[in-house]
Amino acid sequence: VRHRLADMAAELESARALVWAGAAAIAASDPEASRLTTLAKAHITERVRHHGRMALQLHGAMGFTWELDLH
């Protein structure tokens, strides 16, 4: 479980770095801002789906019940 959580945390950091790069590009009126923000959105969307699946797997059958908000 620890290894999966560590992988998820590392992936979150790369997504966070992309968001900050996009925000900095927008603030600096960089012509690459559109490309960076689109890249950040695509990466984050992919990671959110992956992390959602991983959360369900890590919680086992409990993730499908009404007692846990993962469903």
Side-chain angles (χ1 to χ4, degrees):
V1 171
R2 275 190 246 162
H3 293 289
R4 285 188 179 181
L5 292 175
D7 289 342
M8 290 167 66
E11 291 169 354
L12 177 63
E13 287 302 317
S14 67
R16 185 176 291 154
L18 281 170
V19 169
W20 279 106
I26 290 171
S29 299
D30 188 348
E32 292 290 314
S34 177
R35 185 182 68 83
L36 284 170
T37 54
T38 302
L39 180 64
K41 180 181 176 185
H43 181 71
I44 289 169
T45 301
E46 183 181 315
R47 292 297 93 204
V48 164
R49 288 180 181 168
H50 175 71
H51 287 188
R53 285 191 305 267
M54 293 301 296
L56 280 173
Q57 288 180 8
L58 289 172
H59 283 88
M62 192 69 182
F64 289 104
T65 65
W66 286 102
E67 296 172 12
L68 197 64
D69 289 332
L70 275 173
H71 65 274

